[in-house]
Amino acid sequence: MNPYLEVLQPKLSKADYQKLSQIANPNVHEFIAKASDLCHPERISICSDSAEDIAYVRRQAVATCEEKAILTLPGHTVHFDGEHDQGRDRQATKYLVPRGLSLSKALNQIDRQEGLAEVRGVLKDAMNGRTMIVRFISLGPPNSVFTILGLQCTDSWYVAHSEDLLYRPGYGEFLKAGPKSDFLRVLHSAGKLNEDMVSVEHEKKRIYIDNMDNTIYSVNTQYAGNSVGFKKLAFRLAIRKASYEGWLAEHMLLMGAHGPNGRKTFFAGAFPSACGKTSTAMLPGETILGDDIAYIRDIDQVARAVNVEAGIFGIIQDINPKDDALIFKLLESPGEVIFSNVLVKDGKPYWLGMGSDLPKDGVNFSGAWYEGKKDEAGNQIPPAHKNARYAVALKNLENCDPELDNPQGVELGGVMYGGRDAKAYVPVQQSFDWEHGIIAYGASLETETTFATIGEEGVPEINMMSIQDFISIPLGQNIRNNLEFGKKLKKPPVVFGVNYFLRDKDNGKFLNAIQDKHVWIKWMELRVHNEVDAIESPTGYLPKYEDLRRLFKQVLNKDYSKEDYVKQFSIRVPENLAKIERVQRFYQENVSDTPLELFGILYLQRGRLLKAKARFGDYISPESLES
Ligand code: OXD
Ligand code: MN
């Protein structure tokens, strides 16, 4: 008998032992045995793809009180994370890098040996008296060129349950895979818990990524962005694998935009966290394939993409019947939903921006909550956290795209990059070509820190292709990979830059309503098929007023004024020049392997801006460019 299975046997039920021994890959048994040896669980529970196993995980999440069944609607539960565990934690997340190597100055890294010793020290005996749950997952549709297998050992039933909603089951895939098949590994422990089943040792939170062993370690955290290994953790490993193998793993939504005569055009879109990614993917009347992570491959010289996940772990703030009707409806209907860090009162969840009044007391991440309650630092605790979330399976959404599980993925017509840029970029523009789009919109993507990560909000930063928090290869390499990828395609997807956060330069107010993005999508859909003209500007092709006016009426039944158009689509030369400066400086100072194309493309953009300025001045109406 395989020695690892032998070691595991005493901790497994007979049935679970059977399930494990049917997997032919001894590396699977080795990983689980070593995890068990380190963390010392009392027992091990193997979750296969069977409905029975999945139901057991769900029941246990509630039985252990990691999820509370205090909500009235059937299938709804709520989970609370600790006060210091309400977002992804950049400080605690590090790459383990062998001595003498460095990924990039912009990335948080630690010497591999030192980091391994540290995180193993924290994980030692962390599961004493608990059950270690083993989950097998297929990232991307099973049985496809995109499939990557993942295995997670965790002592959190909440994490195991979330994985049901968010990923495709993979036990069957592990059974089929050969004895030497590759898989990503995650070892997670919630660490010490208080009586409310919340991780408490936040100073000992560690999220370490070991590229060399394809392994992630996560401990003393429950927030799903840090603990559900297949979300942003395995993503980091996938980025590296993609880089070696010549495809792309991206922080991108995937959606079908519906054009004239029943046409559907697929778009991928990169947006930093909390910058409108999920609400773009969920636009009413369009179809969603994914809201967070996409794998993109060149299949017969066509860019094809899949959603790595099968569910949404979405920000619930501002989900209301007006702006996000479909999700709102789902969250108000019976069916499986895990809410996290909302306010609960009388069996009902409440969140910020839900479009109705919130109760003045209830239960939230701080325990019993009442208006005016303060935290240790004397700050008022909001009724629900800004980064409160919901987890749902995509297949429960009425707008889920039927191609979700297509093993060949969907053909990408367009790719969009969207930042949080108050000053420079227009709401939507099309790049001159693939390279220009990758550099001027993707690599130059600027945003501000948001509540989705722990730390100060509103700090401006470059967030290359919205992937910077997750990148596990040198940043310049990532840009190069993207440039190369497009060059090999027969017809690369059309690249667009979008900006939902442009503000009026005089009064600082947002220039667009939340729903306006729907018009931009419809315009992009038409541009992919060359069905509307555009105006050439120094930063890209801009929509024409007449086209937008028609689309505003058609999509939102709104009268779009020329004045709004001119404000939104004027090229702001000083702000654009300053942006180019910031981007150049960032790459010069932080990214020693930046491809020269980046500087070349920005240099040309600067030249176009200066030329236009000489002719039209600092602020250039799109109409002057048209003439
Ligand atoms: C997410 C994130 O949860 O990017 O998707 O923070
Ligand atoms: Mn994300």
Side-chain angles (χ1 to χ4, degrees):
M1 178 164 59
N2 159 340
Y4 296 114
L5 269 175
E6 201 172 330
V7 172
L8 288 169
Q9 195 169 19
K11 298 202 179 195
L12 293 163
S13 70
K14 247 199 178 122
D16 281 357
Y17 177 78
Q18 276 299 323
K19 285 179 220 160
L20 211 49
S21 46
Q22 277 161 16
I23 293 177
N25 189 342
N27 295 331
V28 167
H29 310 130
E30 178 178 352
F31 180 70
I32 302 169
K34 288 189 170 163
S36 165
D37 188 48
L38 177 65
C39 302
H40 234 257
E42 191 174 302
R43 54 183 288 267
I44 300 175
S45 177
I46 307 294
C47 184
S48 73
D49 302 346
S50 74
E52 195 186 334
D53 281 7
I54 289 170
Y56 178 64
V57 167
R58 198 181 300 144
R59 275 201 310 278
Q60 283 298 101
V62 171
T64 54
C65 289
E66 278 191 78
E67 286 172 40
K68 324 240 182 289
I70 52 179
L71 301 177
T72 326
L73 286 175
H76 289 205
T77 55
V78 60
H79 163 82
F80 293 113
D81 297 300
E83 206 187 325
H84 302 279
D85 195 21
Q86 293 285 328
R88 281 190 286 104
D89 194 327
R90 286 175 166 178
Q91 288 294 327
T93 307
K94 294 185 184 164
Y95 293 96
L96 304 177
V97 180
R99 195 152 296 165
L101 290 184
S102 170
L103 282 177
S104 192
K105 271 211 265 176
L107 302 178
N108 203 2
Q109 50 195 33
I110 181 170
D111 173 77
R112 181 167 184 263
Q113 289 313 324
E114 194 187 314
L116 277 177
E118 188 192 345
V119 73
R120 288 199 174 129
V122 186
L123 277 163
K124 185 152 177 38
D125 299 332
M127 299 184 188
N128 261 341
R130 293 192 203 151
T131 300
M132 180 168 89
I133 309 118
V134 180
R135 294 238 46 175
F136 302 93
I137 293 297
S138 166
L139 297 171
N143 237 331
S144 118
V145 52
F146 290 96
T147 316
I148 294 182
L149 298 183
L151 165 58
Q152 175 151 2
C153 296
T154 176
D155 59 4
S156 165
W157 294 99
Y158 159 66
V159 167
H161 178 204
S162 300
E163 285 171 353
D164 260 349
L165 295 179
L166 300 179
Y167 298 92
R168 299 172 178 96
Y171 176 73
E173 291 295 297
F174 271 86
L175 286 185
K176 278 189 261 160
K180 295 210 171 92
S181 53
D182 218 12
F183 60 97
L184 308 181
R185 301 147 167 85
V186 187
L187 173 56
H188 165 255
S189 169
K192 199 163 164 197
L193 302 172
N194 65 14
E195 63 287 357
D196 289 325
M197 298 302 281
V198 172
S199 297
V200 282
E201 293 195 314
H202 64 93
E203 333 73 47
K204 291 197 205 155
K205 189 192 301 180
R206 299 286 180 277
I207 302 145
Y208 283 4
I209 299 124
D210 187 4
N211 289 323
M212 291 187 64
D213 245 356
N214 264 339
T215 303
I216 310 277
Y217 302 89
S218 164
V219 58
N220 289 314
T221 175
Q222 288 164 303
Y223 173 71
N226 300 323
S227 63
V228 171
F230 304 112
K231 196 151 195 67
K232 291 307 175 12
L233 305 180
F235 180 39
R236 292 169 162 94
L237 300 177
I239 289 173
R240 202 169 172 85
K241 189 170 161 62
S243 178
Y244 288 135
E245 296 176 0
W247 50 278
L248 302 174
E250 297 293 336
H251 189 209
M252 285 184 175
L253 66 83
L254 217 51
M255 66 181 295
H258 295 238
N261 305 318
R263 178 177 67 206
K264 185 162 62 169
T265 308
F266 292 102
F267 282 83
F271 297 76
S273 315
C275 289
K277 186 141 58 69
T278 306
S279 56
T280 305
M282 285 291 293
L283 284 168
E286 316 302 340
T287 43
I288 179 170
L289 290 103
D291 83 320
D292 204 27
I293 309 174
Y295 293 162
I296 309 176
R297 280 181 178 267
D298 169 347
I299 298 180
D300 300 329
Q301 289 178 281
V302 172
R304 299 191 69 93
V306 295
N307 180 8
V308 172
E309 310 180 283
I312 304 182
F313 172 60
I315 295 168
I316 202 166
Q317 176 171 229
D318 293 333
I319 303 276
N320 59 59
K322 179 164 156 266
D323 297 322
D324 285 290
L326 289 169
I327 310 182
F328 191 83
K329 187 169 158 209
L330 185 78
L331 299 180
E332 295 242 297
S333 313
E336 223 175 332
V337 184
I338 309 175
F339 293 86
S340 52
N341 306 317
V342 291
L343 174 70
V344 179
K345 168 96 186 198
D346 298 332
K348 219 178 138 348
Y350 293 88
W351 56 89
L352 306 174
M354 68 188 291
S356 54
D357 289 341
L358 268 56
K360 307 242 177 284
D361 64 333
V363 176
N364 75 2
F365 66 94
S366 73
W369 176 85
Y370 47 86
E371 200 171 49
K373 185 176 179 184
K374 297 207 165 116
D375 65 16
E376 291 155 16
N379 300 316
Q380 294 246 359
I381 302 174
H385 198 275
K386 283 184 177 178
N387 197 27
R389 301 260 179 159
Y390 60 92
V392 293
L394 277 165
K395 62 176 180 337
N396 293 342
L397 288 168
E398 58 192 64
N399 59 331
C400 178
D401 195 284
E403 303 286 328
L404 175 67
D405 286 324
N406 184 344
Q408 289 293 304
V410 294
E411 175 173 350
L412 286 183
V415 167
M416 49 187 146
Y417 291 100
R420 196 177 264 266
D421 173 354
K423 293 191 178 147
Y425 271 172
V426 295
V428 62
Q429 58 187 332
Q430 179 190 334
S431 72
F432 299 121
D433 53 30
W434 175 262
E435 286 82 357
H436 175 244
I438 294 297
I439 301 300
Y441 307 155
S444 306
L445 200 145
E446 287 188 292
T447 185
E448 290 168 6
T449 50
T450 64
F451 50 75
T453 54
I454 292 175
E456 203 185 331
E457 273 181 54
V459 181
E461 60 178 14
I462 306 275
N463 190 331
M464 183 194 62
M465 296 171 192
S466 86
I467 212 174
Q468 208 155 300
D469 273 1
F470 318 112
I471 200 87
S472 50
I473 55 175
L475 268 61
Q477 184 64 44
N478 187 60
I479 300 176
R480 207 166 288 119
N481 291 346
N482 272 270
L483 291 171
E484 289 308 313
F485 185 82
K487 282 181 196 157
K488 293 189 192 129
L489 301 172
K490 271 194 281 223
K491 183 172 160 285
V494 183
V495 185
F496 298 92
V498 296
N499 178 20
Y500 302 158
F501 299 91
L502 184 68
R503 290 176 187 265
D504 191 309
K505 70 183 170 38
D506 302 319
N507 64 23
K509 291 201 176 126
F510 284 121
L511 280 176
N512 288 101
I514 291 177
Q515 295 93 344
D516 293 2
K517 55 169 96 66
H518 206 166
V519 173
W520 313 152
I521 284 282
K522 293 292 201 199
W523 180 76
M524 290 185 256
E525 202 279 335
L526 295 171
R527 282 297 294 168
V528 167
H529 301 281
N530 261 321
E531 287 179 6
V532 278
D533 271 347
I535 303 169
E536 188 169 340
S537 89
T539 57
Y541 295 114
L542 309 181
K544 290 186 149 181
Y545 172 65
E546 283 306 322
D547 294 320
L548 290 186
R549 195 173 66 102
R550 185 171 42 81
L551 288 171
F552 263 97
K553 194 75 202 166
Q554 183 189 310
V555 180
L556 302 175
N557 195 22
K558 240 168 120 171
D559 294 319
Y560 184 56
S561 74
K562 183 69 114 349
E563 196 193 343
D564 280 349
Y565 170 71
V566 170
K567 269 194 180 167
Q568 294 162 10
F569 287 92
S570 284
I571 299 295
R572 305 176 179 190
V573 176
E575 286 82 350
N576 270 285
L577 292 174
K579 182 183 189 92
I580 292 178
E581 285 286 308
R582 286 192 298 275
V583 175
Q584 278 176 336
R585 196 168 345 110
F586 172 81
Y587 284 100
Q588 272 154 358
E589 289 175 3
N590 295 289
V591 185
S592 58
D593 66 332
T594 306
L596 285 179
E597 276 126 302
L598 180 134
F599 299 108
I601 286 169
L602 294 180
Y603 176 82
L604 292 177
Q605 182 134 318
R606 188 166 170 275
R608 286 191 299 270
L609 284 160
L610 290 173
K611 198 166 150 207
K613 175 183 153 111
R615 194 153 162 225
F616 302 110
D618 275 343
Y619 296 96
I620 311 172
S621 145
E623 300 202 302
S624 344
L625 291 166
E626 192 173 10
S627 61

